[in-house]
Amino acid sequence: QKAGADQPLSLALSISEQMLKGKGAWRVHGGGFAGTIQAFVPDALVGEYTDAMKSIFGDDSCYVLSIRPFGGVKLA
């Protein structure tokens, strides 16, 4: 069992706060029952951040997503 298994949300939020130091944003995503947070991480910190999360919560615990550079569109 990984170290963060007992209180994963609290631990992930605390790690995010310490690592990002106000340079990004982090919060519980959804209802929190599945132990999910969403973090907006500056490009320069993505590798370090994901490595830390994976080392604590497991290899499949952290996914990097990107936001497209334009807003919503109407599909005809």
Side-chain angles (χ1 to χ4, degrees):
Q1 181 173 338
K2 287 297 221 176
D6 292 334
Q7 294 185 0
L9 283 177
S10 298
L11 182 57
L13 292 171
S14 178
I15 292 166
S16 297
E17 182 177 13
Q18 290 177 11
M19 291 190 74
L20 300 178
K21 298 178 179 136
K23 295 178 184 163
W26 53 94
R27 67 178 182 91
V28 172
H29 183 68
F33 299 109
T36 301
I37 72 164
Q38 181 178 46
F40 294 89
V41 179
D43 287 339
L45 298 175
V46 169
E48 181 182 354
Y49 183 86
T50 56
D51 288 348
M53 290 297 180
K54 288 178 180 183
S55 73
I56 295 166
F57 300 108
D59 286 337
D60 294 328
S61 65
C62 188
Y63 300 93
V64 177
L65 304 174
S66 59
I67 300 171
R68 62 186 183 181
F70 43 86
V73 295
K74 180 179 179 181
L75 298 176

